[in-house]
Amino acid sequence: MTQGVSTAYSDQMLRDAAARTLAEAAPNAALAQGADASTTFVESHWRLAAEMGWTGIMVPESHGGLGLGLAEAADIVEEMGAHLFCGSYALSAVLLAGLAPRFGAVGDALLRGMAEGSVRLALATDEVRPSQDGGHILPLVEHAAGASHILRMERGEAGLDFVLYRTAGATSRALQPMDPTTPIASVTLAPDAEMARASCSHGEAERLLLPIHVLTAVELVGIARAAFERAVAHVRQRKQFGEAIGRFQAIKHRLADGFTLLSHARLAVSDAVQRPGDLDAAQIARVIAADAAMKITADCIQLHGGMGFSWETDAHFYLKRARRLHANFGGTAALRKRAGDRFIESLLTPEQAAFSAAGADRSEVV
């Protein structure tokens, strides 16, 4: 691991165990040979997470889970990012754990299923359309393959509705993903597929999504760390003019910049993990981590030279996943705007703040 940027958020033994386990199951080599993640790794990785107890990490002990917190989940998620875990772990184990109490009796069953590993959530990221038989067409669903439920967010009267669908009786058509570690599909649901709905104000929705912003940032740090380690290893052994290219000043400067970005991102993420209720810390951490991951993964490809643009290396997998996470849940542009808005609001008088709040629209961040 890279010195100074891989210490645990909660428990080093948990982090080390996750790193060893995920390294053995890493899909990099097989994906580089053209393996399909949806059939080759999604099932095996999810089964592994269930066997290790990770799927129930934030499920209360009363429902069969471990009853741990965000810091423990963060240790696992960073290693999942570094080892290209194929599955909707944060969505299922963390977001659904927070939403389940709002789903009533359905939520109790979901929590128990999460602890067992039988509940796996997919995310619909596009508008729903009606099907000819009265069902629902979800044009774009991430991690649809093997999912037991699909979550979709839509604007409601109060602010935002979280809609949960069962996948029993659904049909799907696989689509070509940009990120090969994240299968996507168009899904047609049965007419009675909707099983629960939770209506929230925008403020409540922001708080429910806060752990996802934190863990997205954590995963981006894991991606950036893995890409940086690959870049360092390559420039140490690749030689030109009889010397390792890592001795060249231009390469040293680029690596120094990458290490600085990675260290900065990890500090921001650690702060957000240790302040789990702080929305500003969560959203800022995600922005900083996304910027770092995008730059470091792109530089990793550049530092590999011509082979960096081919499937001869696994560098492109990290770049593609970083791009996907950069855009998830409204993308980082909306988070930057909200952080700026809140900073400006902190400078306003009470009268100015009341006038500003009356016209505020926070829907873009959720």
Side-chain angles (χ1 to χ4, degrees), residues 157-189:
E157 294 181 3
L160 196 74
D161 287 356
F162 292 88
V163 187
L164 188 70
Y165 301 99
R166 62 173 65 86
T167 58
T171 58
S172 64
R173 177 174 58 86
L175 304 173
Q176 180 65 44
M178 177 194 70
D179 172 11
T181 68
T182 304
I184 58 175
S186 172
V187 179
T188 301
L189 299 168

Side-chain angles (χ1 to χ4, degrees), residues 122-141:
L123 179 67
T125 60
D126 207 344
E127 294 294 324
V128 66
R129 301 200 304 260
S131 63
Q132 293 182 347
D133 62 356
H136 312 277
I137 299 174
L138 303 177
L140 185 60
V141 180

Side-chain angles (χ1 to χ4, degrees), residues 6 10 13 16 24 45 66-67 75 98 105 122 124 128 135 152 166 181 197 238 242 259 308 317 323 328 330 342:
S6 58
S10 65
M13 290 181 65
D16 292 343
E24 293 173 359
H45 282 189
L66 298 178
D75 278 323
V128 66
R152 187 174 67 85
R166 62 173 65 86
T181 68
R197 180 182 290 260
R238 178 81 167 101
F259 186 83
F317 293 128
R323 283 188 176 276
N328 270 14
R342 280 194 293 271

Side-chain angles (χ1 to χ4, degrees), residues 74-292:
D75 278 323
I76 295 168
V77 169
E78 183 172 326
E79 295 305 324
M80 287 180 168
H83 295 95
L84 298 178
F85 179 87
C86 300
S88 56
Y89 176 76
L91 192 67
S92 302
V94 180
L95 178 58
L96 193 53
L99 275 172
R102 294 174 176 265
F103 291 146
V106 170
D108 288 337
L110 289 172
L111 288 172
R112 296 190 184 280
M114 287 163 55
E116 297 169 356
S118 60
V119 170
R120 194 192 318 172
L121 200 61
L123 179 67
T125 60
D126 207 344
E127 294 294 324
V128 66
R129 301 200 304 260
S131 63
Q132 293 182 347
D133 62 356
H136 312 277
I137 299 174
L138 303 177
L140 185 60
V141 180
E142 289 186 357
H143 297 291
S148 60
H149 300 79
I150 297 175
L151 181 70
R152 187 174 67 85
M153 292 173 284
E154 65 179 34
R155 295 191 182 188
E157 294 181 3
L160 196 74
D161 287 356
F162 292 88
V163 187
L164 188 70
Y165 301 99
R166 62 173 65 86
T167 58
T171 58
S172 64
R173 177 174 58 86
L175 304 173
Q176 180 65 44
M178 177 194 70
D179 172 11
T181 68
T182 304
I184 58 175
S186 172
V187 179
T188 301
L189 299 168
D192 61 347
E194 184 177 325
M195 58 185 301
R197 180 182 290 260
S199 297
C200 309
S201 67
H202 285 302
E204 291 172 327
E206 282 185 331
R207 287 191 292 275
L208 285 168
L209 290 173
L210 187 151
I212 285 292
H213 290 311
V214 174
L215 291 185
T216 299
V218 169
E219 185 174 354
L220 284 161
V221 166
I223 291 165
R225 192 193 85 208
F228 185 77
E229 289 171 349
R230 279 159 172 74
V232 170
H234 179 74
V235 301
R236 280 176 172 168
Q237 60 86 27
R238 178 81 167 101
K239 291 186 176 181
Q240 285 185 353
F241 310 111
E243 290 192 40
I245 63 173
R247 293 176 60 87
F248 301 155
Q249 191 174 42
I251 301 295
K252 289 180 179 179
H253 285 179
R254 186 165 286 196
L255 290 175
D257 289 343
F259 186 83
T260 301
L261 287 171
L262 181 54
S263 300
H264 187 197
R266 193 161 221 292
L267 286 171
V269 168
S270 296
D271 180 58
V273 169
Q274 299 306 321
R275 294 196 286 164
D278 190 319
L279 184 61
D280 284 335
Q283 294 184 345
I284 290 171
R286 185 178 160 198
V287 169
I288 292 173
D291 287 350

Side-chain angles (χ1 to χ4, degrees), residues 283 287 332-344 360-362 364-365:
Q283 294 184 345
V287 169
T332 57
L335 300 183
R336 291 178 195 274
K337 181 178 182 300
R338 281 297 301 140
D341 288 347
R342 280 194 293 271
F343 175 73
I344 292 172
D361 178 9
R362 302 180 180 180
E364 71 274 8
V365 301

